[in-house]
Amino acid sequence: MKRIQIFENGINVVFEITDEKLIKLLHFSALPFDESTMASKAGNTGFNLVEMKISGIDSAGEWHGNKCRINALGNRLKYKNFKDINNSIGRKLEIVCFDEETGLETVSHMQFYTGTRAVRVWTDVNNCSTENRTLEYVSSFSLAGIEKEGLQPQDEKLRVGICHNSRKRELQWRFYSPEQQNSSKVLGVTNVGNLSSKEYIPMGYAENTEVGGALMWQIEHNGSWHWEISDREGHMYLQLSGPSEIGSHWSKILRPGDSFRSVYCGVCAVNGGFNEAIAEMTKYRRLIRRKSRDNTNLPVIFNGCLNCLWTDPTNEKELSLIDAAAEVGCEYFCIDAGLYADDIRCDRIGGWHEDGKILPDKLREVTDHIRKKRMIPGVRVEIEAMGIKCPMADDLPDEWFFVRNGKRVIDKSRYQLDFRVPAVREYCDAAVDRLINEYGFGYIKMDCNIEPGIGTENNADSFGDGLLEHERAYLAWLDGVFERHPKVIVENCSDGGRRMDYALLSRCSIQSIPSQEDYRKYAAIAANAPSAVCPEQAAVRSFLSETDDREEAVFNMVNAMLSRVHLSGHLDRLDSEIQAIVKEGIEVYRSIRRDIAKALPFYPLGVSEFLDSWSALGLRCDGRIYLAVWHRDGSENCSIPINNGLNDVKVRCIYPSYNEEKYAYDPNNRTLTVRFGRPNIARLFMMEERS
């Protein structure tokens, strides 16, 4: 038996190579490895480094239900090689294993990132045999013993967080205690289809509350994915993956010499709890994404769709909004409607050419006026879909589209384009290049509002194989857009946050968060946004209305001011007092946005629940803390614990300037107490050491 112990960036990793040449991952944690945590269980039986299912290979014999954990192949992969290298990112481990019977080789990758307690993990599977092998499942990360430290029963000390997501109720965390014991039941979270976060954000959290260690993870894939927690041999395990046969109709034939790479996942390990994990995950997200000036400069965006023009633009309406948006300090103006079909119905989109039936006085008048007001024009497209009544759809071959059971897949009167097809990519390239080169658009809202389901049968080993390869081809297509147009901002959108993942957000600099239109309910979503997306990437809307009083306007502005300000509403109808409040909010935002771009989020009251009376979001940066506080109803007083690490602290309400609400900071117990005299009030505070 041999042990390999790694300590890197605050993470302790322990591997064991047994006398039978099996390699086990015994430990991945910010806590040190304690041999005694293994002794009272069934040894290291369930600590396989890789779990993989191949057609025709028996399971391990245990009653396992739908668990992805129990299979013979994961139990018999023999250790072959271990590489420990350094690259420009940080330290990297590569562990090679081999199965003699099937001729399959696995390479487990663990890439550390200097500066954060997080790693990116994935698995390569290589067919070194002379026969076809059908892959039904492979893990990107597999870790047993996530509960093993401490003496309490696992259901008392293990706290698992799942981030639920739905239209108008996005980003709602719920916490659970797994109670499995020798069970076929899993605490599993799965997405099937093209919209990666339509039910759950592809991430999760597990904390051992007894000893103060925690893990947080994200699955960096824009299609089908799965993670699960369950028990085996007395230990709880965590397993992360992309699609599988049993969960999402995916299988892949590996012919001799073929290779398959699993989806990337990010995993961080911390001493502490949720706030510490979110901070490390935020650092990691910034390290894995494409470099973009947008994520440093954080320009203010206006988009007049929700609570404003909806899908009924005219030149007259747009020109009036452009003037108002420029007046309050917006820097980008996005025209949001189906502008390039002969009407705005979903069943006719797809040509992406200007048509005078929507903007009869020509689009160029609008874009020219945006530039005249020193803003950059933007436009919305649904580049991945084509309406079933689009004039060109009937003339195109079926291979352009998702097909199942011999028929084109239709959702919401639209077909799904298949980005594996070179002609599809060329068609989309031409559309995007035309918008940028001919009209000067510097901002593209890439919207996606259909769910084509489990995948396509065209040129695929399985429905899920067609979907996975399409998703990867779409990402490669996006990479090409950025290579040709590096300064263009691309907003990732799917009617709000139904496609919120770091496969897309490692490329797109901004994510449209919610479709919720009630600013009061929006607060819980806005507060939680930085738990899933870096604050500078989270496009949070402020919906201004001509009926707003000044506190409603302030509440709307505070919703967005610790993320990316994304204004909407009829700015051109605001009275002078409300317009001044909005303009002041933009000025304050501009003064702090460079801090937001590097700040780390925390939740002094815990993550916000949808109907909470009080919510709070904090950002830490360079000895300062920015704190947004929302009060919707209930008690007028709230005490907010701030573990700020600062000495002689001063607290200021930095927005709005007219603040009449009471607040006081107690340096002894490090608590900010606020008293808001009416419901639906929000304030933005700054805390810093006195000079």
Side-chain angles (χ1 to χ4, degrees), residues 402 416-420 466-474:
F402 274 29
Q416 171 70 50
L417 291 169
D418 189 336
F419 272 68
R420 296 175 301 162
L467 176 65
L468 175 63
E469 296 307 318
H470 156 78
E471 302 293 4
R472 288 175 164 172
Y474 177 70

Side-chain angles (χ1 to χ4, degrees), residues 416-555:
Q416 171 70 50
L417 291 169
D418 189 336
F419 272 68
R420 296 175 301 162
V421 179
V424 168
R425 298 193 300 273
E426 292 169 6
Y427 151 80
C428 293
D429 279 339
V432 169
D433 291 351
R434 182 169 58 251
L435 293 172
I436 295 169
N437 297 332
E438 293 185 16
Y439 291 93
F441 285 114
Y443 184 103
I444 296 180
K445 177 179 178 177
M446 291 284 191
D447 209 348
C448 179
N449 291 310
I450 66 171
E451 176 51 272
I454 57 178
T456 177
E457 65 193 31
N458 279 349
N459 302 310
D461 295 336
S462 61
F463 292 141
D465 176 46
L467 176 65
L468 175 63
E469 296 307 318
H470 156 78
E471 302 293 4
R472 288 175 164 172
Y474 177 70
L475 295 175
W477 175 80
L478 269 181
D479 291 338
V481 171
F482 288 120
E483 286 174 10
R484 297 194 308 278
H485 309 288
K487 295 182 180 179
V488 170
I489 295 175
V490 174
E491 173 191 340
N492 183 49
C493 182
S494 180
D495 194 11
R498 291 185 295 165
R499 195 162 67 159
M500 197 182 321
D501 63 74
Y502 265 86
L504 288 161
L505 287 173
S506 64
R507 293 161 170 87
C508 301
S509 60
I510 190 167
Q511 169 70 49
S512 180
I513 299 293
S515 53
Q516 174 59 250
E517 296 144 27
D518 185 326
Y519 72 94
R520 296 160 296 186
K521 295 176 181 177
Y522 205 122
I525 301 168
N528 289 351
S531 68
V533 180
C534 293
E536 67 274 18
Q537 290 184 272
V540 177
R541 288 187 174 89
S542 291
F543 297 116
L544 286 310
S545 169
E546 62 267 34
T547 63
D548 287 348
D549 64 23
R550 65 178 188 173
E551 289 300 348
E552 290 170 328
V554 168
F555 198 109

Side-chain angles (χ1 to χ4, degrees), residues 151-207:
L151 302 176
Q152 294 177 358
Q154 61 193 30
D155 58 334
E156 294 182 17
K157 65 185 176 183
L158 193 60
R159 179 172 176 254
V160 177
I162 298 173
C163 193
H164 294 252
N165 206 50
S166 64
R167 191 173 183 270
K168 298 179 185 275
R169 205 179 179 101
E170 292 87 352
L171 295 160
Q172 298 301 292
W173 285 89
R174 298 289 180 268
F175 295 90
Y176 305 87
S177 296
E179 298 179 356
Q180 293 94 335
Q181 192 68 37
N182 298 319
S183 170
S184 61
K185 181 176 175 59
V186 299
L187 177 58
V189 182
T190 303
N191 181 73
V192 180
N194 183 55
L195 302 180
S196 61
S197 60
K198 59 182 176 288
E199 293 184 86
Y200 307 97
I201 301 296
M203 64 181 298
Y205 172 75
E207 178 184 356

Side-chain angles (χ1 to χ4, degrees), residues 181-388:
Q181 192 68 37
N182 298 319
S183 170
S184 61
K185 181 176 175 59
V186 299
L187 177 58
V189 182
T190 303
N191 181 73
V192 180
N194 183 55
L195 302 180
S196 61
S197 60
K198 59 182 176 288
E199 293 184 86
Y200 307 97
I201 301 296
M203 64 181 298
Y205 172 75
E207 178 184 356
N208 186 328
T209 59
E210 181 183 356
V211 297
L215 298 170
M216 183 169 277
W217 56 90
Q218 64 180 26
I219 299 176
E220 297 160 8
H221 181 52
N222 52 328
S224 299
W225 53 264
H226 174 75
W227 65 260
E228 69 183 41
I229 290 176
S230 189
D231 65 300
R232 184 184 180 192
E233 304 289 355
H235 284 293
M236 303 297 293
Y237 69 82
L238 166 68
Q239 209 155 287
L240 315 178
S241 73
S244 67
E245 184 181 60
I246 197 168
S248 44
H249 301 261
W250 176 85
S251 61
K252 180 71 176 176
I253 298 173
L254 296 182
R255 295 165 178 80
D258 281 357
S259 297
F260 174 78
R261 174 161 290 183
S262 72
V263 303
Y264 294 132
C265 298
V267 186
C268 76
V270 298
N271 290 306
F274 191 86
N275 284 329
E276 289 79 9
I278 285 294
E280 292 303 317
M281 190 58 76
T282 301
K283 295 177 188 176
Y284 168 76
R285 288 165 177 161
R286 287 171 176 154
L287 289 169
I288 65 169
R289 72 188 180 197
R290 179 181 64 91
K291 296 289 185 280
S292 169
R293 294 185 307 170
D294 183 55
N295 292 145
T296 302
N297 298 337
L298 280 60
V300 178
I301 300 153
F302 180 87
N303 183 309
C305 182
L306 296 181
N307 284 14
C308 191
L309 298 183
W310 297 101
T311 52
D312 185 27
T314 66
N315 284 50
E316 181 181 4
K317 293 175 184 177
E318 294 284 8
L319 295 176
S320 180
L321 283 169
I322 291 165
D323 291 343
E327 175 62 27
V328 299
C330 294
E331 294 151 297
Y332 282 75
F333 188 100
C334 185
I335 305 165
D336 194 316
L339 298 177
Y340 295 94
D342 61 6
D343 61 31
I344 59 177
R345 290 177 295 171
C346 297
D347 61 6
R348 302 191 69 82
I349 65 170
W352 309 119
H353 289 277
E354 180 179 359
D355 193 292
K357 291 183 180 180
I358 288 183
L359 291 179
D361 299 318
K362 300 299 181 183
L363 179 62
R364 197 173 301 279
E365 179 187 9
V366 179
T367 57
D368 286 349
H369 195 65
I370 293 169
R371 283 188 286 270
K372 180 181 177 181
K373 291 295 181 176
R374 297 185 178 180
M375 295 185 293
I376 296 174
V379 68
R380 167 189 168 268
V381 294
E382 286 188 65
I383 200 71
E384 299 159 72
M386 183 175 289
I388 59 175

Side-chain angles (χ1 to χ4, degrees), residues 36 197 399 508 566 584:
S36 67
S197 60
E399 71 170 7
C508 301
H566 215 70
E584 180 195 346

Side-chain angles (χ1 to χ4, degrees), residues 64-126:
H64 54 79
N66 286 342
K67 290 181 182 180
C68 293
R69 183 72 176 178
I70 312 298
N71 62 81
L73 202 59
N75 293 334
R76 72 188 197 201
L77 282 167
K78 297 295 181 70
Y79 166 73
K80 185 177 178 182
N81 190 20
F82 191 104
K83 293 183 180 179
D84 186 349
I85 59 178
N86 285 285
N87 53 33
S88 61
I89 299 169
R91 192 173 185 178
K92 187 171 189 286
L93 309 179
E94 296 178 7
I95 303 98
V96 183
C97 298
F98 186 71
D99 178 61
E100 290 284 351
E101 181 177 329
T102 61
L104 291 177
E105 178 186 79
T106 64
V107 184
S108 299
H109 300 264
M110 189 174 289
Q111 174 69 65
F112 293 84
Y113 285 77
T114 302
T116 184
R117 294 185 173 191
V119 299
R120 176 176 268 182
V121 286
W122 69 95
T123 305
D124 292 335
V125 182
N126 306 314

